[in-house]
Amino acid sequence: MKDKKFFTIAMAIVLALALFMIFRTNTQSFKRLSASVTPEEEKNIIIEKSKQYISDNIDKFDGESIILLGDLINKNYLTEEEKEDVTNDLYDENTRIFFTVKDSKIVDIYLKNELFSKLFKCSDVCYINENNYIYYNNDVYQIVKVDSNGSVYITNNEIKSINTKDINNIIKNKYNELDKEIANTIDLISQNDINNSNIINPEKDMLVTSPAGYKIYSINNQTRDIDVDKVDGIFIIRLLNTINYKLGDGTKFNPYVITK
């Protein structure tokens, strides 16, 4: 009888421990899920910790200044959990916090618009065939590709009739028209661009750039040396990888908006 009673008590204890472990695991899982934060909450954490850092070092600042998220991390202003929350694809240690101090008080503080290149990850060259609309030069363009340096290549897909004997001067004049704080290269699309992008669909011969210079591309996916005086072409612009993302999601009715 005593053995049976002991066995019953032991089983009750084991069951209680099992229920406790299940409850504890579920609670921890729930806490982990509830601990995830939104981009706006991430921004608020960075701003809050920046204010603490600036206030603690207020004598060092006057007027407009910049600190990095890395400064907050290195000075232990973020807990390990907070650091994990705010260092991701959108924010890293080079994220800049701009602020103004006047009469030993913080009168303005904000995060600079995020680097546009952070929206895209590419180890080589990636063609962007959806959600690729971007507002540029008072017009809506489309992103053709992104390279491993984070540079974004765009086009308005406008077909131009080009005098093949004057192509170098045409490119030079187009380059001079660029806002060098936003873009620093312009050229013709390449055969690879046509083959890999679904936004460029030539219906007849086009002038394209290639490692061997400018060539004529035909719709049968062949290139040949230039043998005509005039031919259609489409220009592609490379944006600097230092431009900032302001808003938009890349859809046709909500294109990306960028700033210097």
Side-chain angles (χ1 to χ4, degrees):
M1 181 68 70
K2 289 183 179 180
D3 290 342
K4 185 176 181 180
K5 184 177 181 180
F6 175 78
F7 177 76
T8 301
I9 294 172
M11 288 299 295
I13 293 173
V14 170
L15 180 60
L17 286 173
L19 291 173
F20 172 75
M21 291 304 295
I22 292 172
F23 174 78
R24 182 180 179 185
T25 301
N26 289 339
T27 301
Q28 289 176 338
S29 298
F30 176 77
K31 285 181 177 179
R32 281 196 296 271
L33 289 172
S34 63
S36 61
V37 295
T38 67
E40 189 59 35
E41 289 171 326
E42 292 167 1
K43 182 181 290 188
N44 290 340
I45 291 172
I46 295 172
I47 292 295
E48 177 188 343
K49 298 301 181 177
S50 297
K51 286 181 178 179
Q52 292 179 16
Y53 174 84
I54 297 164
S55 297
D56 290 345
N57 298 274
I58 199 71
D59 293 339
K60 298 179 180 179
F61 304 112
D62 186 38
E64 296 180 355
S65 300
I66 303 171
I67 58 174
L68 302 178
L69 180 56
D71 296 328
L72 306 181
I73 294 172
N74 294 335
K75 298 294 184 180
N76 298 317
Y77 276 80
L78 294 165
T79 64
E80 285 299 319
E81 183 178 356
E82 289 169 336
K83 178 182 174 181
E84 185 176 341
D85 284 338
V86 302
T87 51
N88 47 44
D89 291 342
L90 195 58
Y91 305 109
D92 60 24
E93 294 192 8
N94 293 316
T95 297
R96 297 168 292 173
I97 302 101
F98 287 66
F99 62 96
T100 303
V101 171
K102 185 176 181 180
D103 297 329
S104 297
K105 293 182 180 179
I106 303 170
V107 295
D108 191 21
I109 184 168
Y110 59 95
L111 291 180
K112 187 69 173 179
N113 295 323
E114 311 309 324
L115 284 174
F116 189 50
S117 59
K118 288 187 178 181
L119 298 184
F120 309 95
K121 283 188 174 182
C122 186
S123 59
D124 187 16
V125 175
C126 298
Y127 284 85
I128 312 299
N129 285 320
E130 59 183 13
N131 294 345
N132 57 6
Y133 289 89
I134 181 171
Y135 191 71
Y136 169 80
N137 196 28
N138 299 319
D139 196 3
V140 176
Y141 282 61
Q142 282 183 276
I143 298 169
V144 178
K145 60 188 177 183
V146 179
D147 66 23
S148 59
N149 294 319
S151 294
V152 176
Y153 297 73
I154 66 173
T155 183
N156 60 2
N157 217 4
E158 184 177 349
I159 297 174
K160 294 285 189 179
S161 179
I162 296 172
N163 183 343
T164 57
K165 295 180 180 179
D166 199 32
I167 181 58
N168 290 325
N169 284 331
I170 292 172
I171 295 293
K172 182 178 179 181
N173 291 336
K174 289 285 185 181
Y175 171 79
N176 290 335
E177 295 172 1
L178 296 177
D179 182 342
K180 304 305 187 299
E181 292 185 276
I182 294 180
N184 67 347
T185 303
I186 185 168
D187 210 336
L188 292 168
I189 59 169
S190 68
Q191 182 178 4
N192 283 339
D193 295 337
I194 295 174
N195 292 339
N196 292 289
S197 173
N198 64 8
I199 67 173
I200 303 170
N201 300 297
E203 297 180 354
K204 56 182 179 179
D205 287 358
M206 297 196 70
L207 187 64
V208 298
T209 184
S210 76
Y214 294 108
K215 299 286 184 179
I216 301 292
Y217 171 87
S218 60
I219 57 176
N220 62 1
N221 197 25
Q222 299 293 321
T223 59
R224 67 181 189 272
D225 291 337
I226 297 174
D227 55 5
V228 293
D229 292 334
K230 283 196 173 183
V231 66
D232 288 344
I234 295 176
F235 292 99
I236 188 169
I237 297 170
R238 184 177 73 177
L239 305 180
L240 295 172
N241 58 11
T242 55
I243 60 173
N244 295 304
Y245 163 71
K246 188 174 182 180
L247 50 88
D249 60 12
T251 55
K252 188 173 184 178
F253 298 102
N254 189 22
Y256 294 119
V257 177
I258 54 175
T259 63
K260 301 176 183 179

